[in-house]
Amino acid sequence: AIPTITTVFLADEGKREVYQRLCAKFFGRDFTVTTYVYQPPCCGAELAIEAWAVSGDTVRVSRQGPNLMTVAYNGLRWVYCGGVLPTTTSTDVYDQSLNAFGEMAQLLAKWGVDFENVVRTWLYLGDIVGDVGPKQRYKELNRGRTDFFQGIRFGQSLLMPGVERGAYPASTGIGMGGKGLAMSCMALLTRRPDVFLLPLENPGQTPAYEYGTSYSPQSPKFSRAMAVILGNYFTVWVSGTASIVDSETRYIDDAAKQTEQTIDNIERLIAEDNFLQHGVPGTGATLADLSKIRVYVKRSEDYLACRAVCERRFGNIPAVYAVADVCRPDLLVEIEGVAFAKRHVTS
Ligand code: 3EB
């Protein structure tokens, strides 16, 4: 298998260079696109590595510099852009956010990829719940994203016919140590006629892009999940998901119950019933179809309780547990993942 993408979760931001050298040595000259995130692994380790790899005779992997990587097979081209930091000297989160999105767009554009092809984003913000009122850092991130996304028509020709609103990428918005901002994203290009994008919302949750202004004056522009229908198969990028019903946090101060609610939300989001409600029959995933997850835990003392629930519900799938602030002060857990499954109708 060829290693492609790594995300390194670090307990100590000061040691980034040390791990950078270690990773370069381990992965060799075909070094993966790496995003360093300052989120201590829950188990107490100095670092955790989430590593993706791909194999297959027809797969072509190419790397275009330290931040961009392309994986092509079966008429699909996945383009991953990672470890992107703002280049502006401004410490303003709005400026940094616009700038980092712009950096990703420029990197993609250099290789002929338009930002409208992005299906998944990851946004890591230091001190995400810091500051108060309309200038809260997460709200400023949302303002930057809203302005940057203005006029971008996500999905374009790949969108499932009938999708009319909110074709935003799936996303994770999460805290990390320090005061910085880091981003990554995944785009998909194909001319295959049997490939469609289906942005999914959760019937039990208000779409994030329709949250009331009390949460953020400019709403978070992301979809709960982005499904990619690939002929008789499909993959679902599940956004960071939390214990939110409608638009309210459920189970304040109870990490185990928040974890259950979060997993209930994911289960319902990817279920066949929900695909059907979105107009696509014969397509649905279960928790067992998730091939890897990340569990962000706000308070390290909740780790074991949270992990027990995850292991009972997800079974033994690859998982990274890291300590990170979730964007609302009362949210204790956020979980993201990616599922892959076979459809049971042919169309
Ligand atoms: C929520 O449901 C929880 O701002 O991109 C989850 C996933 C959350 C992504 C984002 C925020 C984001 O609102 C927070």
Side-chain angles (χ1 to χ4, degrees):
I2 307 161
T4 52
I5 297 170
T6 45
T7 304
V8 181
F9 302 82
L10 300 177
D12 181 349
E13 358 173 7
K15 290 198 183 144
R16 174 185 168 135
E17 276 76 24
V18 176
Y19 297 123
Q20 232 163 341
R21 278 198 300 277
L22 273 175
C23 285
K25 218 165 143 185
F26 182 80
F27 290 110
R29 67 186 166 81
D30 294 320
F31 193 29
T32 60
V33 173
T34 309
T35 306
Y36 294 90
V37 181
Y38 307 122
Q39 294 177 339
C42 291
C43 61
E46 288 269 344
L47 85 163
I49 301 179
E50 182 197 83
W52 304 19
V54 62
S55 65
D57 296 340
T58 61
V59 178
R60 279 170 300 119
V61 176
S62 54
R63 194 169 162 231
Q64 296 90 3
N67 301 103
L68 202 82
M69 149 96 54
T70 299
V71 174
Y73 58 90
N74 292 356
L76 302 170
R77 200 149 72 89
W78 295 97
V79 182
Y80 177 77
C81 182
V84 176
L85 310 176
T87 54
T88 175
T89 53
S90 171
T91 55
D92 186 88
V93 177
Y94 172 80
D95 292 344
Q96 290 188 339
S97 159
L98 267 185
N99 178 268
F101 275 114
E103 287 294 317
M104 289 203 292
Q106 271 181 41
L107 271 166
L108 293 170
K110 230 171 116 181
W111 302 95
V113 181
D114 197 283
F115 204 84
E116 72 194 19
N117 297 116
V118 169
V119 296
R120 180 69 168 96
T121 63
W122 288 266
L123 317 177
Y124 309 95
L125 179 62
D127 191 21
I128 193 166
V129 292
D131 294 340
V132 285
K135 289 281 170 190
Q136 191 214 1
R137 289 167 62 80
Y138 176 61
K139 294 176 182 173
E140 286 293 276
L141 176 68
N142 280 325
R143 196 160 67 83
R145 172 168 50 188
T146 297
D147 285 358
F148 185 80
F149 282 9
Q150 190 71 48
I152 298 178
R153 291 172 51 230
F154 286 101
Q156 294 281 42
S157 59
L158 281 184
L159 275 188
M160 187 67 80
V163 175
E164 258 145 43
R165 38 163 230 163
Y168 298 115
S171 180
T172 292
I174 194 75
M176 65 171 178
K179 283 275 186 185
L181 174 65
M183 292 189 183
S184 48
C185 69
M186 181 78 81
L188 175 64
L189 286 90
T190 185
R191 294 207 188 93
R192 267 173 60 170
D194 61 343
V195 174
F196 298 98
L197 296 180
L198 182 68
L200 293 173
E201 287 304 314
N202 192 322
Q205 295 188 295
T206 308
Y209 54 84
E210 289 175 1
Y211 278 166
T213 52
S214 61
Y215 294 104
S216 185
Q218 296 298 323
S219 63
K221 304 292 188 295
F222 70 94
S223 298
R224 295 296 175 189
M226 182 63 80
V228 186
I229 313 283
L230 305 155
N232 293 330
Y233 293 86
F234 68 103
T235 192
V236 194
W237 299 97
V238 178
S239 288
T241 304
S243 178
I244 295 173
V245 173
D246 300 329
S247 51
E248 284 93 55
T249 301
R250 282 287 161 92
Y251 305 116
I252 307 269
D253 230 35
D254 187 331
K257 284 197 174 144
Q258 285 204 10
T259 308
E260 294 279 7
Q261 180 66 57
T262 299
I263 298 171
D264 288 345
N265 287 349
I266 293 174
E267 194 168 41
R268 187 167 182 193
L269 176 68
I270 64 178
E272 181 161 351
D273 230 31
N274 196 35
F275 276 85
L276 199 58
Q277 284 204 35
H278 285 78
V280 177
T283 310
T286 64
L287 296 177
D289 295 317
L290 287 160
S291 44
K292 58 168 208 71
I293 54 168
R294 284 191 205 166
V295 183
Y296 303 100
V297 181
K298 185 197 181 91
R299 311 184 297 210
S300 59
E301 62 267 31
D302 292 331
Y303 164 50
L304 290 178
C306 171
R307 181 173 147 182
V309 176
C310 287
E311 288 183 345
R312 174 164 49 77
R313 301 280 308 266
F314 290 113
N316 190 25
I317 56 171
V320 169
Y321 294 85
V323 179
D325 272 336
V326 186
C327 56
R328 289 186 195 179
D330 53 12
L331 288 172
L332 302 175
V333 177
E334 184 171 312
I335 303 176
E336 61 166 79
V338 56
F340 183 73
K342 199 172 192 317
R343 303 178 69 200
H344 53 257
V345 291
T346 48
S347 52

